[in-house]
Amino acid sequence: MHANSKNDAARQVDRPRTIWHIRFIGGLAVVAGVVLLIVDSPLSRHMPIPISHRVAEAMPLLLVGIAYLAWLARDRPPVIELIKQLFLAAAFVLWGINLLMPPGSAARFVGAVVIAIYVFDLAWMMEGNLRKK
């Protein structure tokens, strides 16, 4: 028990230095999501917005996926939970990448991988919840 206390205390001291970047990237993701809403809103037709729709759509996904990966590196969940959460982070990052790719077979494949990850992750979550009940 004493070793855990020391480890917990070390994590508490280290916390402010290790979480600022996660919060910053997460905050950027939220800002990028708001920018996306503005860029894709009906009001944008009346405003000169020099932002590509592809970039505006990809940025919130990429940023939140990266922030989530950084959080996972800091949080260190149990292995099974880590695998599930890595799938989710990968899906967001790949979805963002997919939006930036030129149309073609490679983009379709990346899109299919994203869909497969989401389906697999949701089915895995449902199975876990069913097993609990």
Side-chain angles (χ1 to χ4, degrees):
M1 186 80 167
H2 185 62
N4 286 345
S5 298
K6 279 185 180 181
N7 197 14
D8 291 343
R11 285 182 92 175
Q12 289 298 327
V13 170
D14 194 36
R15 188 174 202 175
R17 291 184 299 183
T18 60
I19 63 170
W20 72 266
H21 64 281
I22 298 168
R23 284 187 171 146
F24 180 74
I25 297 168
L28 285 177
V30 171
V31 169
V34 171
V35 169
L36 171 61
L37 290 173
I38 293 168
V39 167
D40 282 348
S41 77
L43 299 174
S44 69
R45 285 185 253 141
H46 306 293
M47 298 183 288
I49 300 176
I51 299 174
S52 159
H53 286 276
R54 288 172 48 182
V55 172
E57 291 173 343
M59 290 312 295
L61 296 165
L62 291 168
L63 288 168
V64 81
I66 291 166
Y68 197 49
L69 286 170
W71 177 75
L72 287 173
R74 195 217 173 286
D75 189 55
R76 298 185 186 127
V79 174
I80 295 298
E81 281 303 309
L82 177 64
I83 292 168
K84 288 179 188 178
Q85 293 173 4
L86 285 172
F87 274 123
L88 186 59
F92 275 90
V93 171
L94 288 172
W95 189 4
I97 290 169
N98 181 254
L99 291 171
L100 296 173
M101 295 175 73
S105 61
R108 276 192 308 278
F109 178 72
V110 172
V113 169
V114 170
I115 291 167
I117 290 172
Y118 278 124
V119 169
F120 180 75
D121 194 47
L122 188 57
W124 194 357
M125 183 180 66
M126 289 185 309
E127 179 60 29
N129 288 335
L130 290 170
R131 285 177 188 249
K132 288 178 188 175
K133 296 180 182 200

